[in-house]
Amino acid sequence: IKFGKELESIGRGTFYRCKSLERITLPLKDGIITADNTFQWCKKLVHVDLVEGEVLRDTIDALILDEWRNDMNVEIGAINQILPITSAGDDTDDVGGKAQAVQSWISSVLHKIIQYKAQHRRYLNEAATTLQLDLPNDIVNKNVLPYLELPSYT
């Protein structure tokens, strides 16, 4: 199932007993999964993609440090390692952990990309300040700064 970036939330029991659900594409939004039983009985759900995947990959590729890029790539792939071994729940009060796993993962990806973008911007501002001291402002503003911005995934 592929959702668009306009999706605001997925509520209680939305995919309850959807035994054929294997893969889902969601927007990168904190709080999009609103209930712990959203994927109860979805035993085959093992893969989550992000709507913003391509733009997010462009943003990650543009980060200054390899360490940041590597960390983000590991984080984005983590959900597909976690879901196959996460319980889907049963008919009792056990709702499973897939919804919580997806929501925690989305929060973690968002937190990390925001943190790395802020650090990236800080480094670029320091570099721009150095350039502005050495070059005329119009050259820096027109020919350097526009190329230093990260792609936006939102």
Side-chain angles (χ1 to χ4, degrees), residues 54-94:
E54 187 176 324
V55 176
L56 188 57
R57 278 188 293 281
D58 289 346
T59 299
I60 292 166
D61 289 345
L63 291 172
I64 295 172
L65 298 179
D66 286 339
E67 177 185 336
W68 298 349
R69 289 191 295 271
N70 295 339
D71 186 39
M72 283 306 306
N73 286 323
V74 167
E75 187 66 33
I76 288 173
I79 191 64
N80 301 319
Q81 304 299 315
I82 295 167
L83 279 182
I85 59 172
T86 302
S87 168
D90 55 31
D91 281 330
T92 65
D93 289 337
D94 178 14

